[in-house]
Amino acid sequence: MTRIDKGAGSAVTVRGLVKHYGGTKALDGVDLDVREGTVMGVLGPNGAGKTTLVRILSTLLTPTAGHATVAGYDVVRQPRQLRRVIGLTGQYASVDEKLPGWENLYLIGRLLDLSRKEARARADELLERFSLTDAARRPAATYSGGMRRRLDLAASMIGRPAVLYLDEPTTGLDPRTRNEVWDEVKRLVGDGVTVLLTTQYMEEAEQLASELTVVDRGKVIASGGIEELKSRVGGRTLRIRPADPLRLRPLADALDALGITGLATTTVDTERASVLVPVLSDEQLTAVVGAVTGMDLTLSSLTTELPSLDEVFLSLTGHRASAPQDAVPAGTPEEVAA
């Protein structure tokens, strides 16, 4: 088969992708574009359709309708060619825990039709790159959580993929291990790998993704850069820090008492010794600043902040990203439904 022209800088192109499970649509007309050499974060709660999307794009599932190409190959018509240019790391360790790390990588290399010499060299190279050389001959079952995830990443890189799928790769990891995985992902992207990352973690999305697609109940409800999505939600928070921390509560009460039209209730952030005032327009911002400057008050700082990514998701979906959703009927494999 002939490779399809993937267009200007697009590593993944998805149009109208649909996947049915009985009467339920796990995916309901998803469109997606991932630029080469970037990280696209697919953000959504359990049951949103994230893993279903990854499984279709990695040829493990066939879509009910729609069209998708990855690295120029059609996911339905060219699965064999496509599998040679992608890597996949799922939510749980996929390596054989009874085998040493080196043998896991060597075996995968042979399964990918590398010669014995090439498979040995690639295993050695990746163990060194992922700081696993000292543990190369130990069974993977003896590895820490972070080491197993690094071994998983190394396994997904054996075939030098152009596109790497990371399906909630840090689920269940402690913060230190999560940071180690993030560092490895950043290194891979620096080498030109395109990454499609599914996650429920707002911090992970902000750390790794250059663009986001927000999915809920099988539909794309928003997409764009992180700052773009924050701006789209609207609203800012005015953070006011009085020089005297004892003025925090009186300041908050005074602003509430002014009754400025549309002004939401202020809150006190004692940890950062500041008063937070949500404002929805430039006019409200001007009114609040004018009121504060008219008070007998010395300020340490006065800044505006965009909403957090968590607040963006809540605004777009009406629930937080970690809230489970019943997107797939009973009896459907959970891993496919996620």
Side-chain angles (χ1 to χ4, degrees):
M1 291 185 177
T2 304
R3 186 171 180 174
I4 299 171
D5 181 11
K6 60 185 177 182
S10 179
V12 179
T13 302
V14 176
R15 294 291 180 267
L17 210 59
V18 175
K19 181 62 179 179
H20 291 179
Y21 294 107
T24 300
K25 289 184 179 179
L27 295 179
D28 189 9
V30 169
D31 292 336
L32 182 72
D33 288 286
V34 185
R35 292 181 293 115
E36 291 179 341
T38 66
V39 179
M40 168 63 78
V42 179
L43 186 65
N46 287 331
K50 304 186 303 296
T51 297
T52 297
L53 174 63
V54 168
R55 286 177 171 267
I56 289 174
L57 294 179
S58 55
T59 75
L60 297 175
L61 285 176
T62 301
T64 305
H67 179 257
T69 60
V70 178
Y73 296 111
D74 186 285
V75 299
V76 175
R77 295 191 294 110
Q78 299 171 294
R80 292 183 62 186
Q81 296 93 321
L82 175 55
R83 289 169 192 153
R84 292 186 174 276
V85 296
I86 61 174
L88 171 62
T89 295
Q91 299 175 31
Y92 307 102
S94 59
V95 296
D96 188 330
E97 295 192 345
K98 295 181 181 179
L99 293 178
W102 187 91
E103 290 188 23
N104 267 287
L105 300 186
Y106 174 79
L107 177 61
I108 293 171
R110 294 292 287 148
L111 290 172
L112 291 175
D113 294 331
L114 298 183
S115 68
R116 289 185 175 85
K117 180 178 180 181
E118 289 172 329
R120 285 194 295 267
R122 189 65 174 148
D124 291 339
E125 176 188 345
L126 288 169
L127 286 169
E128 181 176 357
R129 171 166 185 171
F130 286 89
S131 302
L132 292 169
T133 301
D134 291 343
R137 301 298 175 180
R138 284 169 38 197
T142 67
Y143 288 15
S144 68
M147 292 169 68
R148 291 189 197 189
R149 296 314 273 158
R150 294 205 303 273
L151 183 61
D152 261 346
L153 281 171
S156 68
M157 296 302 296
I158 286 285
R160 293 184 172 85
V163 178
L164 177 63
Y165 304 123
L166 300 179
D167 187 19
E168 300 193 26
T170 61
T171 296
L173 297 184
D174 61 82
R176 178 180 176 181
T177 303
R178 187 174 298 155
N179 286 332
E180 291 176 355
V181 174
W182 290 350
D183 288 341
E184 294 299 341
V185 173
K186 291 173 184 176
R187 288 176 58 187
L188 294 173
V189 175
D191 288 344
V193 177
T194 301
V195 175
L196 179 69
L197 167 75
T198 75
T199 184
Q200 296 182 64
Y201 298 130
M202 302 297 172
E203 184 182 4
E204 184 160 82
E206 292 205 81
Q207 279 281 332
L208 299 177
S210 52
E211 294 183 88
L212 286 179
T213 293
V214 183
V215 180
D216 193 32
R217 297 178 177 88
K219 293 179 177 289
V220 173
I221 59 174
S223 60
I226 292 175
E227 295 306 316
E228 177 187 346
L229 291 181
K230 289 180 178 180
S231 298
R232 189 183 304 177
V233 169
R236 288 158 289 177
T237 297
L238 183 63
R239 182 179 292 274
I240 308 167
R241 295 189 62 191
D244 181 2
L246 295 178
R247 299 295 299 273
L248 286 173
R249 176 50 61 187
L251 173 59
D253 292 342
L255 289 172
D256 282 338
L258 287 174
I260 299 173
T261 303
L263 178 61
T265 303
T266 59
T267 58
V268 175
D269 182 352
T270 54
E271 185 175 338
R272 296 177 61 181
S274 53
V275 172
L276 303 179
V277 186
V279 291
L280 301 177
S281 67
D282 291 341
E283 291 74 20
Q284 288 179 23
L285 177 62
T286 302
V288 175
V289 172
V292 172
T293 55
M295 298 177 183
D296 182 18
L297 184 69
T298 302
L299 299 180
S300 292
S301 65
L302 190 153
T303 58
T304 58
E305 302 172 354
L306 287 173
S308 69
L309 192 54
D310 192 52
E311 291 168 335
V312 170
F313 191 90
L314 180 61
S315 174
L316 290 170
T317 67
H319 53 78
R320 297 194 179 277
S322 57
Q325 298 294 310
D326 298 324
V328 177
T332 301
E334 195 174 305
E335 64 207 50
V336 175

